[in-house]
């Protein structure tokens, strides 16, 4: 099942009611209301824009909106809970069923979390195996993580894949308000110990259709996608050379088995000694 850490949803203004004017910024042109805008960064990211000029309701949120259940990430089984938790904030009333059935996605972060003890090993393996340094680059990410990006000039063609230590990210000071709001804080932190998170940022509607293999950007189609876009981009960016003498071969094994990811199968037959020692 495909999961997301972030969704940006566009639907119609008629699907929001009871807007609390004390919580939203309002913008008028003369006496005409142009838009309402709400934004919070903590304890979880949430943006709601009601643009009456273009009849657009734009809602953007991360998996933290799920509160105690955020380790499940955003998926087709809990999307209703995401909107319900927004309603429970008391800032507005969303027509959840109509939004789910009549909206589309313009941006999303496809996400996968997996067990692996050392982010530095993943970073090293990726850096050693970039497929084409004229087309792809790897960069340092916070807490020892790694970013893989393609070298392009047009924003619509950009691809960005990140691997990072989720426990270290959660343990940062800016996440304390979120963790303190959970009833199961200790369980959440324990769950993320030794876990790496992979996130593919998809920022155009065209790329969403391409990498999720769907015909349109409707929310339901996105949530029901049956592809592994992280692996697809990884296939483009990284070509593993199994003859490279990596200091810890188990690292490559773990990447193949767990990290890179579910449907990603390498041809280990080219190196029989490796294949015999580390059968996956």
């Amino acid at each position: 099942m495909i999961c997301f850490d972030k969704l940006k949803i566009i639907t119609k203004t008629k699907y929001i009611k009871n807007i609390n004017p004390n919580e939203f910024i309002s913008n008028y042109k003369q006496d005409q209301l142009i838009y309402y805008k709400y934004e919070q960064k903590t304890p979880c990211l949430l943006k709601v824009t009601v643009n009456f000029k273009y009849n657009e309701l734009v809602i953007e949120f991360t998996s933290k909106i799920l509160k105690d259940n955020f380790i499940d990430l955003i998926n087709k089984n809990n999307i209703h809970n995401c909107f319900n938790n927004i309603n429970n904030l008391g800032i507005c009333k969303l027509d959840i069923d109509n939004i789910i059935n009549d909206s589309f996605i313009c941006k999303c972060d496809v996400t996968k979390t997996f067990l692996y003890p050392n982010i530095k090993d993943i970073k090293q393996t990726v850096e050693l195996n970039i497929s084409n340094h004229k087309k792809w680059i790897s960069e340092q990410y916070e807490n020892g993580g790694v970013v893989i990006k393609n070298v392009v000039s047009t924003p619509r063609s950009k691809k960005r894949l990140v691997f990072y230590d989720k426990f270290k990210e959660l343990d940062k000071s800016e996440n304390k308000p979120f963790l303190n709001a959970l009833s199961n804080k200790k369980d959440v932190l324990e769950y993320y110990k030794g876990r790496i998170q992979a996130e593919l940022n998809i920022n155009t509607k065209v790329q969403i259709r391409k990498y999720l293999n769907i015909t349109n950007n409707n929310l339901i189609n996105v949530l029901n996608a049956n592809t592994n876009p992280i692996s697809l981009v990884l296939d483009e960016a990284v070509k593993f050379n199994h003859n490279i003498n990596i200091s810890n071969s188990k690292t490559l094994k773990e990447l193949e088995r767990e990290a890179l990811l579910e449907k990603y199968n390498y041809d280990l037959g080219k190196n029989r000694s490796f294949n015999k020692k580390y059968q996956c």
Side-chain angles (χ1 to χ4, degrees):
M1 181 171 61
I2 194 167
C3 295
F4 304 86
D5 186 57
K6 183 188 292 185
L7 291 179
K8 186 172 183 179
I9 300 167
I10 299 180
T11 185
K12 298 179 177 66
T13 56
K14 65 182 180 180
Y15 299 142
I16 184 171
K17 297 180 180 178
N18 300 339
I19 296 172
N20 186 339
N22 297 321
E23 299 289 344
F24 282 76
I25 297 173
S26 56
N27 180 275
Y28 287 85
K29 187 175 183 180
Q30 296 178 348
D31 294 331
Q32 183 179 4
L33 178 61
I34 305 300
Y35 66 79
Y36 281 120
K37 187 174 183 179
Y38 173 88
E39 182 174 357
Q40 71 170 40
K41 295 181 179 180
T42 185
C44 60
L45 175 69
L46 173 62
K47 298 179 182 179
V48 181
T49 302
V50 191
N51 192 317
F52 296 104
K53 182 178 180 180
Y54 297 105
N55 187 29
E56 283 187 348
L57 169 60
V58 184
I59 310 168
E60 184 175 3
F61 53 85
T62 66
S63 58
K64 290 178 180 175
I65 200 69
L66 288 164
K67 299 180 179 179
D68 288 348
N69 298 315
F70 97 104
I71 64 173
D72 297 329
L73 299 169
I74 302 165
N75 59 66
K76 63 183 179 181
N77 295 329
N78 60 30
I79 188 65
H80 194 283
N81 292 340
C82 294
F83 292 120
N84 189 57
N85 286 346
I86 295 173
N87 281 344
N88 289 339
L89 294 174
I91 62 172
C92 63
K93 183 69 173 179
L94 300 176
D95 184 341
I96 298 176
D97 290 335
N98 275 319
I99 290 174
I100 291 175
N101 289 290
D102 186 18
S103 63
F104 66 89
I105 302 297
C106 62
K107 291 183 180 182
C108 62
D109 290 351
V110 180
T111 306
K112 176 74 176 181
T113 304
F114 55 92
L115 282 169
Y116 192 77
N118 194 340
I119 185 64
K120 292 182 180 179
D121 291 343
I122 295 176
K123 179 176 180 291
Q124 179 191 26
T125 303
V126 166
E127 290 174 342
L128 285 172
N129 293 280
I130 291 294
S131 60
N132 186 330
H133 288 279
K134 293 182 179 180
K135 295 182 178 181
W136 294 90
I137 59 173
S138 62
E139 295 179 344
Q140 177 77 25
Y141 191 67
E142 58 191 41
N143 298 318
V146 63
V147 180
I148 309 170
K149 300 191 296 185
N150 61 335
V151 181
V152 292
S153 56
T154 56
R156 65 182 180 180
S157 300
K158 288 184 178 179
K159 301 165 192 172
R160 183 176 183 270
L161 177 59
V162 185
F163 292 89
Y164 64 94
D165 187 315
K166 184 61 179 179
F167 177 82
K168 289 182 179 179
E169 188 265 343
L170 271 180
D171 204 35
K172 292 163 62 176
S173 59
E174 58 258 38
N175 286 318
K176 297 301 181 185
F178 169 71
L179 290 172
N180 291 336
L182 301 180
S183 63
N184 58 347
K185 172 183 175 180
K186 291 183 179 179
D187 292 338
V188 166
L189 287 173
E190 187 64 30
Y191 172 82
Y192 278 112
K193 284 183 179 178
R195 288 188 183 268
I196 304 300
Q197 188 142 306
E199 290 181 4
L200 174 63
N201 310 132
I202 310 180
N203 295 319
T204 70
K205 292 187 287 185
V206 172
Q207 285 193 348
I208 290 172
R209 292 194 296 273
K210 174 183 177 181
Y211 285 110
L212 273 60
N213 192 27
I214 53 179
T215 57
N216 61 58
N217 292 68
N218 291 349
L219 173 58
I220 290 178
N221 283 351
V222 169
L223 294 174
N224 285 306
N226 193 29
T227 62
N228 190 342
I230 292 176
S231 288
L232 294 175
V233 172
L234 201 63
D235 266 334
E236 296 179 44
V238 181
K239 299 299 181 185
F240 286 92
N241 180 355
H242 299 289
N243 294 315
I244 290 177
N245 182 19
I246 299 175
S247 59
N248 182 1
S249 296
K250 188 178 179 181
T251 296
L252 187 54
K253 176 191 174 185
E254 293 288 341
L255 283 172
E256 290 164 349
R257 179 183 291 172
E258 297 176 3
L260 307 177
L261 286 159
E262 292 180 354
K263 296 182 181 180
Y264 195 84
N265 298 313
Y266 297 113
D267 178 11
L268 299 183
K270 295 179 180 179
N271 188 331
R272 294 183 179 179
S273 62
F274 184 95
N275 194 36
K276 183 177 180 180
K277 187 177 181 180
Y278 296 107
Q279 292 181 353
C280 295

